[in-house]
Amino acid sequence: MTQANPLPVELSSQLSALSPTQLAWLSGYCWAQSQGSSATAAPTAFAAEAAAPAAVARHVTVLSASQTGNARRVAESLHAKLQAAGVEARLTGVGDFKSKTLPDEDIVLLVTSTQGEGEPPEEALPLHKFLFGKKAPKLDALTFAVLGLGDSSYPKFCQAGRDFDAKLAELGAGRLNDLGVCDLDFQATADAWVDAVVPKVAELCAQSSAAAAPSAASAAPSADSGTVYTKEQPFTATLSVRQKITSRRAEKDVEHIEIDLSGSGIRYQAGDALGVWPLNAPDLVQEILDLNGLNGSESVTLHDGKTSDIKTALTEYADLTQITPAFVQQYAELSGSDDLKAVADNAETLDAFLAVNPPVGVLAAYPHVLDAQTLFGLFRAQTPRLYSIASAQDEVGEEVHLTVGVVRFNHHEHTYTGAASGFLGERLEEGQEVRVFVESNPHFRLPQDGNTPVIMIGAGTGVAPFRSFMQQRSANGDEGKNWLIFGNQRFTDDFLYQTEWQGFRKDGLLTRYDFAWSRQGEHKVYVQHRIAEEATAIWEWLQQGAHIYVCGDATRMARDVEEALLTVIADQGKLSRDEAEDYLNDLREDKRYQRDVY
């Protein structure tokens, strides 16, 4: 009978990484120790070879805090360049990182996006709350660097990156490199920051003569084998169905969209998002051309150095709907308008101006003819828009469904739509092409155990991923309880997917539902009011291990829902406010409280 290996698994793994010379020395050393010898002096050079790596090895962790995938991709690039420089590093998303282990880290390189009103991305909230809470640790032994990704059209540009960078230094950590700040066209700036950081990390690790073998957690995540299409290389799909799912009387126009993915091999999971590359409205493009006396055939150089006629460039490659401070500031100089310069020079006035004026409104209000290249240069490069997927692939096969609220607004006696919502929900005809890709959302996932109860809280089009959840749980045969808390304006006009939800309830898949109609009665009722009313039941479900999901507007709805949940936890659990926040943060880290907010 063979005797079992008496060594711990961890030690066996470390021994397997040693060289024959190191093993030979170690065997002699261990034999001496087993005979009671005080063999503390390392014999000859063998000891130096074996002991040196353990003495000087540095531990490098690359953390990505991503909302749309950009920060994750930059972190993957950073990790790859570290490895190419001979540095072994662990790559992980912040959502898979236990915040309380941060004081045990050595070198941390954080790549983070910013969302909403300067908040960190959803997966980074536990780390942010940990660092900014009353129990923030001392980090004197930590070395760090932060790269922030953001959008300069928002007042709190890259605020999450700035906050993390400042707080880590405040807690005693040593800054390895200056904070990096990237706008939407982030690639060149991000590459420069990475190229500056990698040599500094390599220098810190230079004394390590034998880096440990990379663990499974260190390996860069591989793409889903069936998903070969990306933001840079999207799949050209076709629109198969567009159907209005609000009534004719409704204030909101919400469209159910079905896109045919046949032949793509694209795979997605419930909770993922679909990236859509929009084409700008022809009327908007023509208005901008007319304001500048252009016929559309004038040649321009695109952001990637290629050439195009200005009409095509404005239709496909420029973001014509999102106004930025840079746009106003540059156009103020070009137009020579003193009024516009006064707006651009005052931060508070500029923020208010940006909130109510689209780019075309500025061109119309302060007319000044520009040549084609200068005009094109005012606009940022077009970016894809992300929509929560409203279907489960096990249910719909080679299709993907979206729930699109069409954004419409009036300005200088013209009506405009959002770039992607107008494209998908109004202009794109069934059978026409649309370029798409799947953006994985690993931090908005159903529980692995199908018996786990789930509570889904959404408002408006935030109900979309919960439709995919129900389809997936039905396909799986899951037996866990399901509770939907949904809010919109009116039951008669805005009950999105009404017959489907009623069908889920009739079939027993949906255990219960509660609704909040904000424009139907004397008082406005929102989902947070339903949470407060059902506090006892919500607490009971939490005690049963329920997972809570929230989808919708980040600035108001998601904040109000979180406040309501904290009140439920404090009241029902007999906890203080601080204890309730710790409880909810623990739910976050345990993947039991997940949000998809925008």
Side-chain angles (χ1 to χ4, degrees):
M1 180 174 176
T2 304
Q3 183 178 2
N5 185 353
L7 294 177
V9 174
E10 296 84 358
L11 184 55
S12 296
S13 175
Q14 292 173 350
L15 289 173
S16 67
L18 297 179
S19 68
T21 303
Q22 291 170 335
L23 286 170
W25 176 85
L26 188 61
S27 65
Y29 176 82
C30 291
W31 173 255
Q33 289 290 81
S34 71
Q35 300 305 304
S37 168
S38 58
T40 56
T44 71
F46 293 152
E49 181 182 1
V56 299
R58 304 298 299 265
H59 303 286
V60 182
T61 299
V62 178
L63 292 177
S64 70
S66 189
Q67 192 71 20
T68 64
N70 289 335
R72 185 179 69 248
R73 284 185 280 270
V74 172
E76 289 170 359
S77 173
L78 169 59
H79 180 254
K81 289 185 178 181
L82 285 168
Q83 289 193 314
V87 175
E88 291 298 341
R90 178 169 69 108
L91 171 65
T92 185
V94 177
D96 297 318
F97 179 78
K98 291 296 183 182
S99 303
K100 294 177 183 177
T101 67
L102 185 62
D104 301 325
E105 293 289 335
D106 180 11
I107 300 172
V108 169
L109 309 175
L110 172 63
V111 183
T112 180
S113 62
T114 294
Q115 68 163 350
E117 299 298 316
E119 293 95 351
E122 191 64 28
E123 64 172 313
L125 282 174
L127 178 62
H128 188 272
K129 290 180 180 294
F130 176 62
L131 291 175
F132 284 82
K134 295 179 180 179
K135 300 178 182 178
K138 289 291 185 182
L139 298 174
D140 297 341
L142 183 71
T143 300
F144 77 95
V146 177
L147 176 66
L149 276 63
D151 180 345
S152 62
S153 66
Y154 288 88
K156 296 185 178 180
F157 172 52
C158 280
Q159 192 62 46
R162 299 179 197 277
D163 288 347
F164 276 123
D165 180 77
K167 178 57 70 170
L168 289 170
E170 179 186 322
L171 295 174
R175 188 181 282 108
L176 178 67
N177 195 77
D178 289 342
L179 169 70
V181 175
C182 302
D183 207 340
L184 286 180
D185 51 347
F186 61 88
Q187 199 61 61
T189 308
D191 287 345
W193 186 88
V194 168
D195 290 342
V197 166
V198 169
K200 295 180 180 181
V201 176
E203 183 178 353
L204 290 178
C205 299
Q207 296 179 350
S208 178
S209 59
S215 65
S218 304
S222 60
D224 210 8
S225 58
T227 305
V228 295
Y229 298 99
T230 64
K231 180 175 74 171
E232 293 75 22
Q233 295 181 313
F235 174 69
T236 301
T238 56
L239 176 69
S240 53
V241 172
R242 184 177 73 232
Q243 179 182 1
K244 185 179 175 69
I245 55 174
T246 47
S247 79
R248 293 179 180 178
R249 300 182 304 274
E251 296 178 26
K252 300 178 181 179
D253 175 7
V254 178
E255 304 282 335
H256 171 71
I257 303 294
E258 297 184 7
I259 294 172
D260 185 2
L261 301 176
S262 295
S264 68
I266 287 176
R267 302 295 301 172
Y268 61 86
Q269 296 184 52
D272 284 344
L274 189 75
V276 176
W277 282 98
L279 297 179
N280 288 311
D283 289 349
L284 173 59
V285 171
Q286 190 60 51
E287 182 182 358
I288 292 174
L289 292 174
D290 291 344
L291 286 169
N292 288 275
L294 301 170
N295 63 31
S297 64
E298 294 84 354
S299 180
V300 296
T301 301
L302 302 176
H303 301 96
D304 62 1
K306 297 178 181 178
T307 59
S308 168
D309 63 85
I310 182 64
K311 186 172 184 178
T312 301
L314 293 178
T315 301
E316 299 183 17
Y317 302 108
D319 188 339
L320 303 185
T321 60
Q322 297 291 321
I323 191 169
T324 66
F327 179 95
V328 176
Q329 291 158 357
Q330 291 173 27
Y331 190 67
E333 291 298 324
L334 290 168
S335 66
S337 168
D338 292 335
D339 289 344
L340 194 57
K341 286 180 182 179
V343 170
D345 291 342
N346 184 295
E348 186 175 340
T349 304
L350 179 58
D351 287 346
F353 184 86
L354 295 173
V356 296
N357 289 284
V360 68
V362 179
L363 300 179
Y366 304 92
H368 179 75
V369 174
L370 300 175
D371 65 82
Q373 188 65 57
T374 303
L375 173 66
F376 180 71
L378 281 175
F379 298 100
R380 297 186 305 185
Q382 184 64 283
T383 56
R385 283 18 176 213
L386 298 180
Y387 288 92
S388 300
I389 291 175
S391 56
Q393 202 157 28
D394 286 342
E395 172 73 18
V396 302
E398 289 190 299
E399 295 178 4
V400 61
H401 298 177
L402 306 177
T403 310
V404 177
V406 181
V407 176
R408 290 190 178 88
F409 61 95
N410 296 314
H411 198 279
H412 64 280
E413 300 180 351
H414 288 66
T415 299
Y416 301 96
T417 64
S421 68
F423 174 61
L424 288 172
E426 183 177 278
R427 298 189 299 277
L428 190 67
E429 299 293 338
E430 293 180 0
Q432 289 186 330
E433 295 181 343
V434 53
R435 295 179 299 153
V436 301
F437 60 96
V438 169
E439 187 64 57
S440 177
N441 189 3
H443 303 291
F444 200 73
R445 289 279 187 262
L446 282 166
Q448 292 185 349
D449 184 352
N451 293 317
T452 303
V454 301
I455 302 173
M456 302 166 287
I457 305 168
T461 57
V463 78
F466 302 141
R467 181 177 185 261
S468 75
F469 278 13
M470 288 299 91
Q471 289 184 358
Q472 190 63 59
R473 296 205 99 180
S474 176
N476 293 345
D478 293 342
E479 297 184 358
K481 297 189 298 182
N482 303 293
W483 181 359
L484 173 70
I485 303 176
F486 171 66
N488 217 336
Q489 291 190 346
R490 296 176 180 85
F491 170 82
T492 52
D493 299 333
D494 306 283
F495 190 172
L496 307 183
Y497 303 111
Q498 176 181 352
T499 57
E500 293 187 31
W501 289 113
Q502 291 172 333
F504 289 142
R505 182 71 182 94
K506 182 179 179 181
D507 295 341
L509 181 66
L510 189 62
T511 310
R512 65 177 292 180
Y513 48 36
D514 289 278
F515 302 113
W517 308 112
S518 63
R519 302 293 189 275
Q520 191 157 288
E522 294 182 12
H523 305 287
K524 292 183 178 180
V525 179
Y526 297 106
V527 288
Q528 61 266 27
H529 299 133
R530 295 296 182 227
I531 292 170
E533 293 170 359
E534 301 299 335
T536 302
I538 287 175
W539 182 250
E540 289 175 353
W541 280 52
L542 283 174
Q543 300 315 294
Q544 295 165 12
H547 289 211
I548 296 181
Y549 301 89
V550 180
C551 185
D553 171 59
T555 56
R556 296 185 60 182
M557 174 265 188
R559 290 180 180 177
D560 292 339
V561 165
E562 181 152 316
E563 186 62 33
L565 289 172
L566 285 169
T567 300
V568 168
I569 292 166
D571 292 348
Q572 297 295 314
K574 304 294 188 279
L575 303 174
S576 68
R577 172 71 183 207
D578 287 345
E579 290 170 334
E581 290 186 350
D582 287 343
Y583 182 98
L584 192 61
N585 211 38
D586 287 342
L587 289 182
R588 271 196 178 96
E589 290 211 321
D590 293 339
K591 306 294 191 296
R592 288 182 56 199
Y593 176 44
Q594 301 182 38
R595 305 195 308 173
D596 181 10
V597 296
Y598 39 83

